Amino acid sequence: MNNNIISLVIPVYNEEDNIPELLRRLFSVMEKLKRPYEIILVNDGSKDSSLPLMLKEQKLHHNTLRVIDFNGNFGQHTAIMAGFKHSKGDYVITLDADLQNPPEEIPNLISLLDNGHDVVGTIRQKRKDSFFRRYASKFINKLMNKVTGFNLHDYGCMLRGYNRTIIDIINECGEVSTFIPALAQKFAVNPVEIEVSHSSRDKGSSKYSLFRLIRLQFDLMTAFSLFPLQMITITGAFIFVIGIVLALLGIFDSALSFVLSGITVTCMGITGEYTGRIYQEVRKRPRYVIRKIYGNKNENEEEKLN
Ligand code: UDP
Ligand code: MG
């Protein structure tokens, strides 16, 4: 029997209604596996009673459960990065705290890691999200594959498995804005994708407004390609040629100025996205600040990490 240690990393932001049920199902799944494991919950600045609930559970399961408490909200992917840094498993599995990723799927991911896959990606079957989210995701997945050169079918599903080799490489990456499934894919040698079931969010609400979703897609795009910047150059050259042709033909139309200024402003925006991100990176601020880690040897130590 394979005795590799399994770490589960779960970001938590205002999930008080989901914590007890999540942990009950996780423990039930993990105990049945009869393998060494740890569960790392990263509290991403929850303002509800998520933290006290997690700490209550941590006291009951002090051998298997650890809680990393951030001193503010740093975002889902950053929370997962912190979990990776503190994980000790040979395999690391990530999932959401809201039970949209059924814990019962975890053994399937583990058996693929046992088979030697270093990244186990997932595709949500019969996705239980709004019509808008599902169709926007379809479009985003296609666009991202074009832009990044990867071939992933569901960038957004965070129920995924990674071998320690991949986690160690990801831990070396110091970028502020990142997108973990794409980062892992970049370093994967033997990745696989499987279908997993998906549940609706029964308790609490999605933490992603339309604006936050757009920002997340920009993180993904700017972190993994220069394609949008290259498109700007090509578009610019193309517009220039059209301008010359129109001028030669003597056709000037006011509609044209709207189109052109529209393109110009969009291009400036995209360039700005990169510039803004470069600015964030060069400031070298800590990516997150940990107030305290519960269930660790150095439990009372305040920690600040980059
Ligand atoms: N999350 C987080 N920090 C955030 C936003 C979300 O840790 O700033 C967590 C959240 O608690 C959940 C997971 O990330 O465990 C996915 O969030 P959510 O369910 O809101 O996203 P959706 O399913 O709508 O994409
Ligand atoms: Mg969700």
Side-chain angles (χ1 to χ4, degrees):
M1 174 170 217
N2 196 325
N3 234 17
N4 283 347
I5 302 172
I6 299 152
S7 299
L8 306 182
V9 172
I10 306 164
V12 177
Y13 181 46
N14 295 342
E15 302 284 4
E16 59 184 4
D17 293 328
N18 292 309
I19 300 288
E21 166 85 355
L22 171 75
L23 287 171
R24 190 187 63 69
R25 282 169 64 182
L26 282 176
F27 282 122
S28 151
V29 168
M30 297 314 286
E31 287 300 324
K32 270 193 218 123
L33 278 174
K34 306 225 175 310
R35 287 168 68 146
Y37 70 93
E38 60 172 358
I39 300 175
I40 301 175
L41 299 172
V42 186
N43 179 38
D44 188 17
S46 298
K47 292 178 193 74
D48 64 358
S49 62
S50 295
L51 182 66
L53 276 171
M54 287 189 267
L55 296 185
K56 196 176 118 202
E57 295 277 353
Q58 198 279 320
K59 285 212 173 71
L60 298 173
H61 305 273
H62 52 91
N63 287 328
T64 43
L65 186 58
R66 281 198 284 159
V67 178
I68 298 177
D69 184 28
F70 277 1
N71 79 349
N73 179 243
F74 292 88
Q76 178 186 0
H77 289 257
T78 307
I80 295 174
M81 290 293 253
F84 282 175
K85 270 251 155 77
H86 289 83
S87 68
K88 49 177 189 256
D90 302 292
Y91 302 156
V92 179
I93 310 266
T94 58
L95 71 155
D96 290 348
D98 61 354
L99 289 165
Q100 289 201 268
N101 302 138
E104 293 71 25
E105 295 278 3
I106 293 173
N108 299 335
L109 274 71
I110 292 173
S111 67
L112 285 160
L113 291 164
D114 279 342
N115 289 344
H117 292 288
D118 53 358
V119 173
V120 182
T122 47
I123 309 163
R124 289 167 285 191
Q125 284 312 98
K126 301 201 182 71
R127 194 170 153 192
K128 303 282 192 326
D129 278 319
S130 68
F131 180 83
F132 166 74
R133 285 285 296 265
R134 278 182 288 134
Y135 280 85
S137 284
K138 268 208 175 117
F139 168 75
I140 294 283
N141 285 327
K142 282 215 175 87
L143 176 71
M144 289 307 159
N145 279 338
K146 277 246 151 36
V147 163
T148 59
F150 301 142
N151 184 22
L152 287 175
H153 292 87
D154 190 355
Y155 281 83
C157 184
M158 296 305 285
L159 172 60
R160 299 178 109 90
Y162 309 100
N163 193 293
R164 170 57 46 188
T165 50
I166 299 294
I167 298 296
D168 285 343
I169 304 171
I170 291 180
N171 284 343
E172 302 256 316
C173 300
E175 51 214 76
V176 176
S177 331
T178 198
F179 200 92
I180 290 162
L183 199 56
Q185 191 66 19
K186 187 164 179 62
F187 304 123
V189 178
N190 185 14
V192 64
E193 272 187 314
I194 56 164
E195 291 178 350
V196 292
S197 54
H198 190 243
S199 309
S200 56
R201 195 189 234 284
D202 293 334
K203 307 245 169 69
S205 55
S206 172
K207 309 299 180 280
Y208 287 98
S209 59
L210 180 60
F211 179 68
R212 259 195 118 176
L213 273 177
I214 292 171
R215 221 173 53 189
L216 186 70
Q217 302 319 316
F218 264 110
D219 279 347
L220 171 56
M221 192 164 69
T222 56
F224 291 93
S225 92
L226 296 176
F227 179 77
L229 287 179
Q230 290 155 353
M231 277 308 292
I232 291 176
T233 316
I234 293 167
T235 311
F238 187 66
I239 292 170
F240 178 75
V241 172
I242 292 178
I244 297 286
V245 172
L246 288 178
L248 287 176
L249 296 173
I251 305 167
F252 300 101
D253 192 348
S254 63
L256 193 65
S257 75
F258 275 93
V259 174
L260 290 187
S261 51
I263 293 173
T264 313
V265 174
T266 309
C267 291
M268 282 168 65
I270 296 177
T271 320
E273 284 292 336
Y274 281 92
T275 317
R277 278 164 170 70
I278 294 168
Y279 183 47
Q280 279 180 343
E281 302 287 348
V282 298
R283 281 197 300 240
K284 289 238 171 296
R285 283 189 192 153
R287 278 187 292 178
Y288 50 82
V289 181
I290 294 175
R291 188 179 282 139
K292 192 166 169 176
I293 301 178
Y294 299 84
N296 222 19
K297 289 182 289 299
N298 47 350
E299 198 162 291
N300 294 313
E301 227 171 71
E302 285 232 351
E303 214 178 323
K304 210 177 186 187
L305 289 168
N306 279 303

